[in-house]
Amino acid sequence: MDAQINPGGQKPPLFSHRLAARVLRIAAVVLADIVVAAGIGVVLLRYGPFENTRQFIIGSAMSSFQHQYIAKWIFTQPEIDRVIHKSTASSTQKQDLSAVNPTGTTDSSIVLSKIGDGLQGYALEIKNPLRVHVACTSYIGTRGEFVSALAEKNNAVAAINGGGFSTGADTTGTGAIPSDFVFSNGKLIWKDDALKTSKLPATDDHESVNVVALNDKGVLIVGDYTIDQLQSMNVTEAVDLHGYKPLVLDGKVQYTDDGGKGVQPRTAIGQKKDGTIVLLVIDGRQAGTSGARLNQLANLLANQYDCWTAANLDGGASTAMYYQGNIINKPSAIFGERTVATAFYVSK
């Protein structure tokens, strides 16, 4: 059938001015409803009986370089500080180093397993702890390096991202500046004496900071220590990560909740009583997996992998595991791997 035409010989318009105005009114009402709902949601989050939700949002956002604006938009700085400070209490308990007896120093085996129970990730069990070392970016102050690059430069069979990193004026989130200090292969290779652009305090030899270290016997050391103490303990490898107490200490889980850090992709290192090192990553911030809370991570290491000692490492977009030539997990960074300041690697 031929299309109808009006007397003027033109087709009638598909949308009249009246219909267009009606559509615009409906859109305006919907938009107004969304704005009102968002406003009510913000008010409820700030003043309602949802303390756990507030801590979850603040912890998850502030543990990320990219998403801190979410917490800052909803909450005041004192509210954010209250949650953050709750999670930064130092641990005064010192571990019993004699409880770990490395028995596999001649065993070259590595066991790879997948993480289950609703989490996505991998664990590597390295029987010989003396094979585990720290690598550091060769471009301190300029940029970090990928975990895969650090692994390949050190001829490693496996690696995970390591400790925290400071934020310089032009290096935010790049892993250019390792925080506080780095020990590698028996040497103190980096010490942050006075980084005025850093958000973290300068390191003093007598200042205790949260560390993840290995001594010359292959025993994993976690907790608050000074550089002087680490050197007296014959530490060969060490990084630090501000704001976290150990996940597992003397076989006991140290977290009952998320510690004010929310749900994130996670990287951790642990050790069994026989000296076996466990390297673990959990993916997050993507479809199908949001990540893990610190108490989930601690329970996993203590109960499923029998770790006597364990510590959280840098997570979020930094989380990456390299094994036999490839990154085997799914980093949350948009372009895949993110540059980092340090990594723990397993020598061949």
Side-chain angles (χ1 to χ4, degrees):
M1 178 182 292
D2 293 336
Q4 292 183 341
I5 58 175
N6 61 22
Q10 297 179 342
K11 294 181 180 180
L14 293 176
F15 296 101
S16 66
H17 291 298
R18 180 179 298 177
L19 179 59
R22 184 179 179 186
V23 170
L24 288 174
R25 282 197 299 272
I26 293 172
V29 170
V30 171
L31 180 60
D33 287 343
I34 292 173
V35 172
V36 170
I40 293 173
V42 169
V43 171
L44 288 173
L45 279 174
R46 290 193 60 186
Y47 305 109
F50 307 110
E51 183 62 25
N52 289 339
T53 304
R54 282 192 286 272
Q55 292 183 14
F56 171 79
I57 293 174
I58 291 173
S60 297
M62 296 306 293
S63 296
S64 162
F65 279 112
Q66 297 178 334
H67 303 109
Q68 293 183 3
Y69 69 90
I70 297 174
K72 293 178 179 180
W73 181 71
I74 299 175
F75 303 100
T76 65
Q77 192 61 47
E79 290 171 328
I80 293 172
D81 290 341
R82 186 174 69 250
V83 172
I84 298 302
H85 291 160
K86 171 189 173 184
S87 66
T88 56
S90 62
S91 174
T92 57
Q93 179 184 349
K94 299 300 183 184
Q95 70 189 88
D96 179 6
L97 298 182
S98 65
V100 174
N101 180 30
T103 59
T105 52
T106 59
D107 189 336
S108 62
S109 63
I110 297 178
V111 178
L112 172 68
S113 60
K114 267 192 169 184
I115 305 297
D117 296 328
L119 300 173
Q120 294 184 22
Y122 295 91
L124 287 170
E125 298 174 58
I126 297 93
K127 293 293 183 181
N128 182 0
L130 297 178
R131 296 177 65 190
V132 180
H133 304 280
V134 168
C136 182
T137 176
S138 300
Y139 310 98
I140 292 177
T142 303
R143 64 177 174 86
E145 296 186 71
F146 294 134
V147 171
S148 57
L150 290 170
E152 289 164 4
K153 284 170 61 174
N154 289 279
N155 195 31
V157 65
I160 56 172
N161 59 293
F165 42 87
S166 303
T167 301
D170 302 313
T171 59
T172 300
T174 66
I177 307 169
S179 59
D180 287 324
F181 55 78
V182 179
F183 281 78
S184 178
N185 290 294
K187 297 180 180 179
L188 177 62
I189 63 171
W190 164 252
K191 177 180 158 187
D192 176 358
D193 284 315
L195 280 174
K196 296 180 180 179
T197 58
S198 172
K199 293 180 180 178
L200 303 176
T203 302
D204 184 272
D205 289 7
H206 310 290
E207 175 192 357
S208 292
V209 295
N210 182 255
V211 304
V212 184
L214 287 158
N215 67 15
D216 58 355
K217 305 297 184 184
V219 176
L220 183 68
I221 300 170
V222 300
D224 295 331
Y225 293 92
T226 67
I227 290 177
D228 288 341
Q229 288 173 327
L230 294 176
Q231 290 175 327
S232 70
M233 298 161 71
N234 296 321
V235 159
T236 59
E237 320 293 329
V239 298
D240 90 293
L241 194 67
H242 279 262
Y244 293 87
K245 60 184 179 182
L247 294 170
V248 182
L249 199 60
D250 293 343
K252 298 176 182 177
V253 170
Q254 301 296 299
Y255 281 90
T256 58
D257 55 23
D258 67 3
K261 298 295 187 180
V263 173
Q264 301 287 350
R266 300 288 181 192
T267 305
I269 184 171
Q271 185 171 47
K272 303 182 183 186
K273 292 188 78 172
D274 69 356
T276 298
I277 292 289
V278 178
L279 305 179
L280 185 145
V281 295
I282 295 176
D283 291 330
R285 297 183 189 169
Q286 50 195 285
T289 176
S290 55
R293 294 178 173 85
L294 289 174
N295 56 311
Q296 286 180 292
L297 188 61
N299 278 292
L300 182 67
L301 286 158
N303 300 324
Q304 184 169 329
Y305 290 97
D306 299 319
C307 287
W308 182 251
T309 308
N312 183 64
L313 296 171
D314 191 26
S318 300
T319 291
M321 177 177 281
Y322 172 97
Y323 184 55
Q324 294 184 339
N326 297 290
I327 294 294
I328 62 173
N329 71 309
K330 295 180 180 179
S332 64
I334 296 176
F335 299 107
E337 279 191 87
R338 171 195 196 172
T339 53
V340 297
T342 57
F344 280 95
Y345 71 90
V346 183
S347 60
K348 290 184 179 178

